[in-house]
Amino acid sequence: MMQSHQEEYEEMVEIGGFRQHQHTASDDSHPRLLNDNMRSNRSSRVNPDDFASPQWPPSIAGTGSSPSLTLRSGATTPYDHMSSSKHLIFADSRSSTPMTGRSPSKEVSSSDSDDQNGIAILHDRDDADIWKGWKRHLYTLTPLLTVLNTGIYLTYLGLRIACVILAQKASGLTFAAAWVFIAVELAVAIPSLMHNTWTMWSLKKRNRPKMRLTGNDVPTVDAFITCCGEDDELVMDTVRGACDQDYPIDKFRVIVLDDGKSAGLERSCAILSHTYPNLYYMARTKIPGQPHHFKAGNLNYGLEQTTLLPGGAGQFMAALDADMIPERDWLRALLPHAVMDPKMALVCPPQLFYNTPPSDPLAQSLDFFVHVIEPIKDAMGVAWCTGSGYVARRDALEQIGNFPLGSLAEDVATSTLMLGKGWKTAYVHEPLQFGTVPEDYGSHLKQRTRWAIGTVDTSFKLNFCLWGEKVRQMTFAQRFSGFLYAALSVYTVLLSISLFAIPIILIMGKPLVAYANDTQLRWLIRACFANTIVNRLCEFVLFIPAGYHTGQRGSRYQLWMSPYIALCLIRAFILPKWLGGQTQAFKPTGSISSALNERDPKLKKNMFRRLWVILVNYMAGFHLAFVYLTLVAVTLVTYRCFFQQSHSTRDILIALVTHAFWPPLTFIFICSSLWTPVGYAIDPPRMPEREDLLIRDAETKVAHPTAQSKKIAFGGQAAWFEFEYTFSTLYTCLIFVLSFLF
């Protein structure tokens, strides 16, 4: 259900501190339990001591039979092939129930029995199946190359500054354009430098094994699926995938938390519950005029209601977004990391997608974050909760007051608060869930600006993780990480302002690079060459886990999204309301229908309509203006160099290089990046129907993405950007060679 502007405003009133929302129990607010023999007493909380059976939940476990672990879709279980795996065995795991609240202890065993209850270690690395071979060996050079790249860049920057100072002393003039150009280059490079600082810390190797729970004696789990207005069939694909888990049916529940109160979804859940009696549908009552706290409030409602179900709450809770279809071994893959360590509060897998268009023009895949950044964060003990697919320990949630309210990024806030209380978080680098990216430009902007505002808002409340009671038990690495990623979001304001300095200084016709003599110019060119080549090499190695083209898309994304994020941050945290200040309210991904249908070959609007909406309604006119002004400025500078003055070939080349075409042609990279929204409006990618991207079991209707849909196809745009990068690199090499000839 779409939220009104009044509700959004009332929600924002609550932002200012984390508060736990107390729900009032009523007939309408209680869950509608789909199986009559599983109904709980709605008038009071369930007292676990009233149940004689130590199993969970009594309505299922009381049948006296152990459920089969054969998947309903007919597939074999993931641990049918673990006979050669090393096992860690639970000791006294049967005493671990919602009634006792005790965590299972563990000990090492050499047993190879497939029926053994415990943990099987399949590999010493959880990402062993994602990337391996020469790529893994080359990737070990990342810290060294990062240190080298940072050192060379700082040397080059220092040489640039020294040459400007010497040139000013020699000529008695002030080279304002050269100083501004240095500032712009530094502004563009700062995000990379900050990431480099973090990456250099990854000298500490990440050693998280690939594990699986085995047997039937496993922890109890409440798996929540949060939704609010998404297409019913989209949600049901997630529900079926969650129900079809390779996990004892008496040890987990699937609970649909529907904030949209869809009658069709409720009916579909009721039908499916006849096949899966551990499926529940719940829809809370939202009173007009009272903040309901969106996803965080919905999750907290689910946490409260599970205490009223037979057997009480599970030892762990898990959460899935409405569109995230889990793999069959989702729970068995994540839970061992929490079972092995009683201080492990949260375990999270990557968010992967199956409807990413070819070339991923808007960088929606998150591949760079989930394959590069999150593993580095995990190695430093700072894994973030990324919003879907995670498993959390109920004890840890209770200690922080459940999900924090008044935040647009409850997932980041939750994991940060857990770390602040001394708990641990883990990132499991396995493909365990696949969802959908927003299918239109507007929804993509709302999703990403919401993330940015939520991250910064959380950081403000936690003093950027530098001091305060809520972060008292954080390590230095955890504090630095919290500060770094909030600072990078805030930095977009400065970056956006600095971008327009490029066309301005070019139109001025002043040299971008100042020097006192030819020797200085030669060394500046050589230092620029060294910096460019090492930077390209460092990028190639750093991007290996995600793919080189994915990393380049991420770099362009940081530039073209900066104006949007900067504008939202200024409105949210700087401008008063009477000057247009506002905090963007939460909008569930997928609940906003596309006005353009730009990826649907049959329904998409014409190009004029797409350009108008994206340039005007979504303010991409800023991007178009920048590209236009920059190209006009470059044309004017080129004309002046060739025709306004009589020069030799050598003088013309030097004038071109020092006025507009300084390697590695930074203006081309920036222009092509900011052209992204305009290019997207002109030629949006085409995508097939969602059903064509899935393999669906004809009998059970359980669907999983095809192998092809899980990959990002290589398209024309990726080829163009690769040509652009190659051209700028070769141009830098050419100028380097010419520095020895002229």
Side-chain angles (χ1 to χ4, degrees), residues 441-456:
Y441 188 75
S443 296
H444 172 71
L445 293 186
K446 288 169 181 163
Q447 179 195 66
R448 297 306 174 90
T449 52
R450 183 182 74 241
W451 291 352
I453 291 174
T455 300
V456 174

Side-chain angles (χ1 to χ4, degrees), residues 202 334 366 433 461 480 557 564 693:
S202 65
L334 294 182
L366 297 180
Q433 60 173 345
K461 293 172 182 176
F480 180 76
Y557 165 85
Y564 289 113
L693 303 174

Side-chain angles (χ1 to χ4, degrees), residues 550-568:
T550 298
Q552 295 299 345
R553 280 194 295 269
S555 300
R556 293 190 294 271
Y557 165 85
Q558 290 179 358
L559 285 174
W560 74 262
M561 269 300 295
S562 288
Y564 289 113
I565 295 175
L567 178 62
C568 289

